[in-house]
Amino acid sequence: RIEQFRVEPIVYRCGRVSSVGDGVVRVNGLPDRLYGELLEFDGGVYGMALDLEEDGVGAVLMDDADTVNVGDSVKGTGVVAEVPVGDELLGRVIDPIGRPLDGEPLSARAHLPCERPAPTIMQRRPVDKPLETGILAIDSMIPIGRGQRELIIGDRQTGKTSIAIDTIINQKNSDVICVYCAIGQKASSIAGIIETLKQTGAMEYSLVVASTASDSPAMQYLAPYAACAVAEGFMSKGRDVLVVYDDLSKHAVAYRTMSLLLHRPPGREAYPGDVFYLHSRLLERSACMSREFGGGSITAIPIIETMGGNISAYIPTNVISITDGQIYLETELFHSGVRPAVNTGLSVSRVGRAAQQKAMRRVSGTLRIELSQYREMAVFTSFGSDVDDSTKKMLSRGSTLTELLKQPKSSPYTLFEQVALLEAYRNGIFENAGAGIRKFAEDMLSFLRSSCASVENSVNTTGDLSDENEKRLLDSLKQFKESYANGEHQ
């Protein structure tokens, strides 16, 4: 064994820090580096190579910059930023480079690079299976399919994150794994969201990738790519995954900060020229894979914050053009008590009814038209002009529908409950219910759970409403209305 032993030198090519400031480091030397490679500085601090020049490398620091000084040696690791993947991550909170933030050590068997090419067109199949949010306004009019990218857009404090969290909570009895990616948010807000997920039992099938507002711009930049790589780890096993990016406005700002510090030329609104590519290469990784490639899917719900309702700003228009539809939340609706504050006129799902259960398709046909007619007519009649009987009826039905679409936080509906509410609305069951439509609807649903248990089971398992079941449901609804009119349920 001694004769066979050979001493072979391992060559480490090192560079030297020539300047450091604002989390950006210039390194002299260090040839043959990769774009996005992790660099190791003295003191165990990591950085990421984002500028590859003839005479050196420009890098952004992942951690606190206080320990990096001019003259320190830097060596390349030979690996681009990677993140752990696999079932070990479920229920965990990690940072963008895979370090656990919840105290417990993490032992993952597999790792994937944060940046990966998107699946090709031939590896995909059309979106055909719904991803139910449990929110009546969305499932009935703006359906989301597994493998779709649906943007949630609106001003601050209009309930964007609440819709995303309710969607995660609603996946409890489905086989969907959820990844929540927090980008540049307050640590207290992220802790509150994690607590909500724990209390509702959603953490069992979810994980959180978090970079707080105090993290470096490089960590905030990396967070959504890391979350997408984790999701791809599950998708490669044929699983369905939901990823929420909260929010991509802060992601673009972090990238702008990095780019300006790296002295890249600014473009519109001081964002660098490749800010469109920043989000397109992330969102194109969401896909519904064909059966030969595992049949899994990644559904992306990016969130964008607008200023003063201006959806024609640079980043909102970019992301709207990349995604397959948007859910637009309006401040006026929110403050007038319509929550979720979804503006159904400006919201759209470009996958449409292909991603809707047959039962829902059957009962939600003309909702959007009725709601837009009601909103238009309500503006005219607010001036106090006299209206004829048909207009009165339209206004009455419109206000009933608006009331029905209101829904408290963290209380998603099952498919049967949504179908029952819309079936009751279509057949005028809510007429003469007065101001207590919410109470009427709750009592009606609890009555149906006992009187229509077989129909409920059939709708929730098959997703379809047969003619026979529709007749039985309608009979039960009429029976409830009569008993309610006689004061039995009040």
Side-chain angles (χ1 to χ4, degrees), residues 95-111:
D95 74 359
I97 50 176
R99 296 177 296 196
L101 298 176
D102 50 7
E104 298 289 321
L106 180 64
S107 57
R109 295 190 197 93
H111 288 74

Side-chain angles (χ1 to χ4, degrees), residues 105-123:
L106 180 64
S107 57
R109 295 190 197 93
H111 288 74
L112 283 178
C114 292
E115 295 263 14
R116 295 177 77 206
T120 63
I121 293 171
M122 299 312 292
Q123 291 173 337

Side-chain angles (χ1 to χ4, degrees), residues 260-277:
L260 292 173
L261 289 170
L262 286 164
H263 295 182
R264 290 181 181 170
R268 180 175 159 189
E269 291 182 26
Y271 289 104
D274 61 341
V275 75
F276 181 90
Y277 179 58

Side-chain angles (χ1 to χ4, degrees), residues 83-86 111-119 123-124 177 179 207 224-243 245 281-287 289 293 296-299:
V83 70
V85 298
H111 288 74
L112 283 178
C114 292
E115 295 263 14
R116 295 177 77 206
Q123 291 173 337
R124 303 172 185 241
I177 288 167
V179 181
L207 64 111
Y225 299 106
C228 195
V230 170
E232 284 173 337
F234 290 111
M235 181 175 74
S236 62
K237 296 175 186 170
R239 313 282 291 272
D240 291 318
V241 193
L242 166 69
V243 191
Y245 303 111
R281 75 175 188 266
L282 170 70
L283 294 169
E284 281 300 325
R285 287 162 70 180
S286 305
M289 303 297 280
F293 293 92
S297 70
I298 293 178
T299 310

